[in-house]
Amino acid sequence: MKRRAAGYWMPISILLMVLLVGFLPSSWILNFGKSQSSPEFKVGSKAFTENVILGDLVKLIAKSENIAVEHQAEIQGTQIVFQYLVTDAIDVYPEYIGTIRYEILKDRNIVTEEEVRTAMLERFNLVMTKPIGFENTYAMGMLESRADELGITKVSQLASRVNLSYSLGQEFVEREDGWEKMSATYGIDIPKPNGNDHALTYKQLESGSADVIDIYSTDSKIQTLDIRVLEDDLNFFPSYDAVFLYRKELEEENPQLVKLIKSFEGKIDNRQMINLNARCEVDNKFEAEVAQEFLSDQMQIDVEIETPSIVRDIFKNTVQHLDLVRMSLIACIIVAIPLGVIAAKQKLIGQAVLGTIGVLQTIPGIALLVMLIAPTEWFGRNLVGTKGLGASVIPVVIALFIYSLLPVVRNTYTGLTMIPGNLLESADALGLTRWAKLWRIELPLALPSILSGIKTAAIINVGFACLGAMIGAGGFGQPIFSGVRLSDTNLILQGAIPAAVLALMVQGVFEIIERILVPKGLKA
Amino acid sequence: MLNLENISKRFGDTVALHATSLTFKSGSTTALLGPSGCGKSTLLRIIMGLLPSDTGAVYLDNEKLTPENVLKMRHRMGYMIQDGGLFPHLTIRQNVCLMASHLNWELEKTSDRFSELAKLTHLPQASFDRFPSELSGGQRQRVSLMRALFLDPTIVLLDEPMGALDPLIRSELQHELQLIFSSLGKTVIVVTHDIAEAGFLASEIVLLKAGAIAQIGTLRDLVKHPSEPFVEDFINAQRSPLESLEITNPIASAGQGRAEQ
């Protein structure tokens, strides 16, 4: 057979193959051929120390009975973690009765614990355990020494002491059920104080410049600063008893696990929880270590945990972060370039496409993530046959994909519409078909613009992928969020520095790709 | 043979081309001449099928040009524009051989055809693998001509092929084009606003005025027997430098005068 010039189906199919393989999560690629044993059950936790410890307690107690439970820790916000639970993406997580009343049920007629329990079962088919034993609510606190001096033990005693100085957290001052209602209930008649940063209020209490501050009743600072929690003698603050919420089906799927979850009922009181929080926040222990200690000391259960290692954490975060960026970027390239081509060729559709993508861009990250959880979980269950897809990286990848569409679609569109008319006419005059003209002339001429759009998308994605940690998908956002929560600068840097380095590397890699792919004739 | 039957074209309210019929004989070289906006480039685009005409039809060797056969018909027409229209991302060789790879030619045949054309247009070998931006304007036009001739078309259409070249290169290329066209025996249509170029390259000139034919004939016919005052004006507007000298120019004569003193 005589040699002919290579057609363009070959390079297109090779490109598509590379893109498709590149789209797979690295765990699939690394585990190819091995049988995968993903944990059958998942416990979630919100992004604060106490909740993470409770999540670890469930994970470890299950481990002691050889039940594999994965802990998806530090999910930002009640809405997301609850969304996970109702879509069955997770099986159980620790919650507070007050939060359930005010943020989930939002029903003034449901007041008592039993009413809340019944409502949760009826409305969401979720079981609420009995209280774990401690309560995490707002409370008024004073230094033990100062309170002693003034003889104050109850909030009602504050009313007659108008010369006390207050330092209150921003949230407590602004909440509807915060300072204003409380001071009215107790008849504390002083001008409304300004809201401060919560970390600052502790400093002011410690230094003596403030006598009374608002605190969370299981705060580790209660122990370390020796704070007296004033008794809420008029029962103003709602009950924020901690409980576990789990899916009703779990009782059939694994009764043993349910029994273990219930074994925490009444097990941890406020003093113990404050102590556990302090072990993390003051002694810089990992939540898992603290949970392990508790199980061993209080419940005589010994479990092995993985010893944490910074190197392994950074490696794990890097892999997760790269996964998020890579998968979303490749999906974006596959979708956005054809969209850009259509937009450039069909003016009317083009305006609609560019407009829609612009609007998608304005949806706040967290809202987009919440919106994506339920459909993703449904898709996973009904079309792929896997559980937990909604709580996996997939919603984050989809959100990143949506955010990265704009630069690529727009640059493809611009690149194609900026081609000089005489070149398009020359291509037509040669008798090239529309496809050949697009493939041989238009796309190569638009390539510099398209590549720079992809580069922008990639760099944006490296930054946005930190959002992934908000719903527990890992990545460099994980140590950043944990570090902010624990006021641990080292931990913040553990995420921030690699993220910055990665952004620079992505920039560098794309500049090399541009150098290789852009024909010499198109370089200035 | 190329026949235009009753071709007309409007852009909105403006008539770009009144109903026009023309025949270009096989092997002839015809110049479409006229001022800017006279419709000469519009006519060329209609012949190429790049622009649909409002009325009439184009026949190439008695085959009617239709939207269905336009791609195939274009393979039988070579087209070369003012600045060459070379694709900046392709090398010279890739630009010239673009259609060969599109039509899946054998590599050997492609390479032979390229060498043949390079010889014909005197394109230096050193430039074969360069990019258009690395070539001079004159060389770019040679490449553009090679590309136009690559599929051995029946007719060759040139739109202001030398419009962007300086006078020396222009004259050199004009001579070469004349040689090439006479050796190939193709039907050639060249659009230009330069009457000298039209006379030099073409045996017949079609002079257009505001979308209609003003006169058809040889350069001699146009100069000696202009059909209307416009033809005379158009010719006189492009007088040669020698003629300019004959007109008394007070500044030029004054300067000359001082130089002689």
Side-chain angles (χ1 to χ4, degrees), chain A residues 317-337:
Chain A
N317 290 335
T318 308
V319 170
Q320 288 172 332
H321 206 90
L322 282 175
D323 260 13
L324 294 175
V325 173
R326 186 171 46 87
M327 290 165 73
S328 58
L329 192 67
I330 286 171
C332 165
I333 292 170
I334 294 174
V335 174
I337 295 178

Side-chain angles (χ1 to χ4, degrees), chain B residues 22-80:
Chain B
L22 269 172
T23 298
F24 302 89
K25 286 194 214 78
S26 294
S28 68
T29 300
T30 311
L32 294 179
L33 183 68
S36 302
C38 69
K40 55 191 193 300
S41 289
T42 302
L43 195 58
L44 209 59
R45 287 191 171 80
I46 290 172
I47 295 172
M48 288 295 302
L50 294 170
L51 203 64
S53 64
D54 295 343
T55 63
V58 175
Y59 296 88
L60 180 59
D61 293 333
N62 298 319
E63 193 180 338
K64 189 177 171 183
L65 188 73
T66 64
E68 289 72 39
N69 69 9
V70 68
L71 291 182
K72 282 234 170 323
M73 294 288 261
R74 280 178 192 157
H75 297 170
R76 290 158 61 188
M77 304 189 240
Y79 186 52
M80 174 179 168

Side-chain angles (χ1 to χ4, degrees), chain B residues 7-169:
Chain B
I7 298 282
S8 72
K9 182 74 187 172
R10 280 167 166 276
F11 293 113
D13 289 338
T14 328
V15 179
L17 209 59
H18 293 282
T20 303
S21 296
L22 269 172
T23 298
F24 302 89
K25 286 194 214 78
S26 294
S28 68
T29 300
T30 311
L32 294 179
L33 183 68
S36 302
C38 69
K40 55 191 193 300
S41 289
T42 302
L43 195 58
L44 209 59
R45 287 191 171 80
I46 290 172
I47 295 172
M48 288 295 302
L50 294 170
L51 203 64
S53 64
D54 295 343
T55 63
V58 175
Y59 296 88
L60 180 59
D61 293 333
N62 298 319
E63 193 180 338
K64 189 177 171 183
L65 188 73
T66 64
E68 289 72 39
N69 69 9
V70 68
L71 291 182
K72 282 234 170 323
M73 294 288 261
R74 280 178 192 157
H75 297 170
R76 290 158 61 188
M77 304 189 240
Y79 186 52
M80 174 179 168
I81 59 176
Q82 178 165 339
D83 55 8
L86 297 180
F87 302 119
H89 63 293
L90 300 177
T91 63
I92 298 315
R93 193 192 292 274
Q94 289 168 332
N95 258 288
V96 173
C97 304
L98 186 65
M99 290 312 286
S101 82
H102 177 58
L103 299 172
N104 209 13
W105 279 22
E106 284 152 19
L107 290 181
E108 204 183 335
K109 182 179 165 194
T110 309
S111 162
D112 288 349
R113 180 65 181 153
F114 180 80
S115 310
E116 196 182 336
L117 290 168
K119 208 188 238 170
L120 182 75
T121 58
H122 299 119
L123 187 77
Q125 188 160 8
S127 60
F128 291 176
D129 293 311
R130 295 217 174 131
F131 288 95
S133 58
E134 298 170 302
L135 263 55
S136 69
Q139 280 181 338
R140 278 206 287 270
Q141 288 308 81
R142 285 167 210 268
V143 177
S144 185
L145 182 66
M146 285 169 74
R147 191 174 70 184
L149 293 173
F150 192 84
L151 293 180
D152 200 14
T154 322
I155 62 168
V156 182
L157 303 139
L158 304 96
D159 193 356
E160 302 275 6
M162 266 127 344
L165 302 179
D166 70 58
L168 280 177
I169 309 256

Side-chain angles (χ1 to χ4, degrees), chain A residues 9-292:
Chain A
W9 289 113
M10 187 83 134
I12 288 188
S13 26
I14 291 174
L15 195 70
L16 274 178
M17 287 284 285
V18 170
L19 288 176
L20 284 177
V21 171
F23 177 72
L24 298 174
S26 57
S27 56
W28 293 10
I29 299 171
L30 295 176
N31 291 329
F32 186 73
K34 296 178 199 167
S35 67
Q36 235 178 321
S37 61
S38 64
E40 229 179 306
F41 300 103
K42 263 189 171 181
V43 54
S45 66
K46 298 200 220 177
F48 50 92
T49 311
E50 180 175 297
N51 223 262
V52 178
I53 294 173
L54 293 173
D56 274 332
L57 281 172
V58 171
K59 176 186 167 177
L60 293 180
I61 202 168
K63 192 177 173 189
S64 74
E65 298 280 333
N66 290 318
I67 304 170
V69 173
E70 193 182 323
H71 181 191
Q72 186 148 354
E74 301 185 61
I75 302 164
Q76 303 273 323
T78 304
Q79 289 312 319
I80 292 181
V81 71
F82 185 69
Q83 189 67 236
Y84 278 176
L85 189 66
V86 291
T87 55
D88 302 359
I90 59 172
D91 301 289
V92 54
Y93 85 94
E95 189 50 283
Y96 303 88
I97 296 179
T99 311
I100 297 173
R101 275 181 62 198
Y102 293 104
E103 290 185 44
I104 294 170
L105 292 172
K106 294 174 189 159
D107 187 339
R108 282 172 194 275
N109 299 320
I110 299 171
V111 181
T112 67
E113 183 189 321
E114 212 38 57
E115 284 168 353
V116 172
R117 182 169 290 116
T118 310
M120 289 305 276
L121 192 61
E122 282 173 359
R123 294 194 196 172
F124 301 107
N125 204 27
L126 298 176
V127 179
M128 185 175 99
T129 63
K130 293 205 181 74
I132 297 170
F134 68 90
E135 202 183 346
N136 187 354
T137 180
Y138 275 113
M140 290 289 114
M142 295 179 76
L143 286 183
E144 192 69 39
S145 51
R146 181 88 175 124
D148 240 6
E149 187 187 316
L150 299 171
I152 297 176
T153 56
K154 307 173 188 172
V155 179
S156 58
Q157 289 172 306
L158 294 175
S160 55
R161 315 267 182 159
V162 286
N163 52 349
L164 288 175
S165 67
Y166 291 77
S167 178
L168 304 174
Q170 193 78 42
E171 198 191 333
F172 185 65
V173 173
E174 282 167 9
R175 276 176 83 106
E176 200 197 329
D177 57 348
W179 169 257
E180 223 152 320
K181 262 197 182 157
M182 191 207 83
S183 56
T185 307
Y186 280 103
I188 302 169
D189 189 19
I190 58 160
K192 185 181 176 182
N194 288 327
N196 288 325
D197 182 77
H198 214 257
L200 187 67
T201 65
Y202 287 114
K203 287 263 180 324
Q204 290 179 332
L205 186 75
E206 201 179 356
S207 69
S209 61
D211 299 309
V212 185
I213 64 169
D214 65 297
I215 52 169
Y216 303 112
S217 56
T218 54
D219 205 317
S220 62
K221 294 273 196 327
I222 292 172
Q223 184 180 327
T224 52
L225 296 182
D226 201 11
I227 294 172
R228 176 179 293 180
V229 182
L230 302 184
E231 189 195 331
D232 178 22
D233 48 339
L234 295 184
N235 283 320
F236 168 76
F237 293 110
S239 158
Y240 274 80
D241 281 304
V243 292
F244 282 106
L245 280 180
Y246 63 84
R247 304 186 297 109
K248 178 84 170 111
E249 296 89 341
L250 202 58
E251 289 173 352
E252 279 162 34
E253 289 167 16
N254 197 324
Q256 172 78 352
L257 182 58
V258 170
K259 211 181 107 204
L260 291 171
I261 292 168
K262 288 191 166 169
S263 69
F264 289 110
E265 289 175 345
K267 259 290 182 319
I268 310 171
D269 64 18
N270 266 54
R271 188 149 296 278
Q272 279 172 313
M273 196 64 240
I274 291 169
N275 183 41
L276 294 179
N277 284 336
R279 293 286 284 147
C280 288
E281 289 166 3
V282 183
D283 304 341
N284 286 322
K285 293 270 183 190
F286 285 91
E287 289 89 350
E289 292 177 274
V290 174
Q292 182 197 31

